Amino acid sequence: MNLNDVISDLKSLLEYERDEGVGGVAVSPEVLAGVGTGASSVVHGGAVAQSIPSQDFGSAQPAKVVPHAEQVPIADDSLSRIAAEVAACSLCPLHGTRTNTVPGQGSPNPEIVFVGEGPGADEDEQGLAFVGKAGHLLTRMIEAMGLTRDDVFICNIVKCRPPENRTPELSEMNACLPYLKRQIGLLQPKVVVALGATALTGLVEMPKGMGITRARGTWLRFAGIDLMPTFHPAYLLRNPNVKKYVWEDLQAVLRRLDKPIPEVKKR
Ligand code: URA
Ligand code: SF4
């Protein structure tokens, strides 16, 4: 990494922090921009060091169009049918304390599906995924990718709010997982982004000692789909200094989708 890259990374981090209202930052992004010779505002999307390509990702294209997901949609299934089943679901104890079920929402034909941990208070209230504070940050992450929430699908590994926002149990995630798998089978995204340690543990059997900190930025697989783990936006709200890693991970997703990497906006 050369000096300009370092300055550029620092600058984008400061911009994030300023936008998030983090106080006590002694230097503004604009001041930093003037440091060094011609530091650009572009965060360079260099290869993520620990990124490993998934086994069947190659340049050769299959002759036939094959579904991305292993999960082949079952006859007559639909997102609204899944949502209706979820609304009536009592497969795990979380049904007892929910106000509304939160099946997830977004594009019916997305390239990316974001999977979080579980609904919080705002989500439980509205029946929509990621509409609270963490959701606001997720929106900004999606917009930084040059996309909108309507371009992607946003959901959670459990569809009902765990009481007091506790972490869902593995048994609850496993009870709920068939709904997510059916959604993925219908949506056929090219990439699933797992937001945070809980979603990751629910989606992929992780080797011992492999937490989100080590797994993030590496390509894994879920239901036949490329899966990128990254930090949860709620974790970013508490630890803004890791946002630059999330941005690296999201850039890796854009590269995999052959999408341009937008400049980090000057504000
Ligand atoms: N956190 C999550 O994991 N999911 C939401 O929908 C909101 C906050
Ligand atoms: Fe059913 Fe999932 Fe809600 Fe549990 S969290 S009751 S499995 S919809």
Side-chain angles (χ1 to χ4, degrees):
M1 209 187 232
N2 66 29
L3 180 62
N4 276 355
D5 290 346
V6 173
I7 291 169
S8 171
D9 276 3
L10 266 172
K11 184 167 164 287
S12 70
L13 177 60
L14 287 171
E15 282 168 349
Y16 267 128
E17 295 196 347
R18 177 190 58 194
D19 294 348
E20 286 305 309
V22 175
V25 178
V27 57
S28 73
E30 289 75 19
V31 166
L32 188 63
V35 179
T37 46
S40 82
S41 64
V42 179
V43 174
H44 299 285
V48 181
Q50 68 273 50
S51 183
I52 44 161
S54 59
Q55 286 148 331
D56 61 354
F57 184 74
S59 52
Q61 293 297 313
K64 277 189 296 181
V65 177
V66 291
H68 296 292
E70 270 163 13
Q71 181 81 21
V72 178
I74 50 179
D76 296 336
D77 206 3
S78 68
L79 293 173
S80 54
R81 180 174 162 170
I82 295 169
E85 285 180 36
V86 162
C89 180
S90 56
L91 281 176
C92 89
L94 298 181
H95 83 276
T97 45
R98 71 186 177 215
T99 310
N100 288 297
T101 50
V102 182
Q105 75 280 346
S107 166
N109 188 21
E111 287 190 288
I112 310 172
V113 171
F114 288 89
V115 181
E117 175 172 324
D122 296 306
E123 291 77 18
D124 179 63
E125 192 77 48
Q126 298 179 44
L128 294 168
F130 281 99
V131 289
K133 247 181 151 185
H136 180 65
L137 182 52
L138 179 62
T139 304
R140 297 201 23 243
M141 286 157 53
I142 292 165
E143 285 170 359
M145 298 172 83
L147 301 168
T148 70
R149 283 174 69 113
D150 292 340
D151 295 323
V152 301
F153 194 85
I154 301 172
C155 60
N156 287 294
I157 193 140
V158 294
K159 314 294 193 193
C160 303
R161 181 193 184 195
E164 317 291 323
N165 294 346
R166 68 159 169 77
T167 306
E169 304 282 351
L170 205 53
S171 58
E172 293 160 349
M173 295 196 277
N174 283 336
C176 213
L177 205 55
Y179 296 123
L180 179 63
K181 286 194 174 159
R182 282 166 62 192
Q183 288 175 316
I184 302 265
L186 288 165
L187 296 167
Q188 295 287 329
K190 293 187 182 138
V191 171
V192 171
V193 176
L195 297 168
T198 308
L200 179 61
T201 332
L203 295 176
V204 181
E205 214 169 303
M206 298 301 290
K208 253 201 151 147
M210 183 91 162
I212 186 72
T213 307
R214 283 184 60 202
R216 63 141 285 271
T218 68
W219 285 107
L220 302 170
R221 298 282 281 180
F222 168 71
I225 313 256
D226 288 328
L227 174 109
M228 173 56 69
T230 196
F231 294 114
H232 193 286
Y235 180 77
L236 298 193
L237 289 170
R238 299 190 300 273
N239 303 276
N241 56 324
V242 302
K243 279 180 186 164
K244 64 177 200 160
Y245 299 116
V246 173
W247 180 228
E248 274 181 22
D249 302 342
L250 298 178
Q251 287 176 87
V253 170
L254 289 171
R255 280 196 296 275
R256 182 139 299 197
L257 299 175
D258 287 324
K259 289 194 179 297
I261 294 173
E263 289 189 11
V264 172
K265 269 192 232 125
K266 276 198 212 158
R267 276 178 269 214

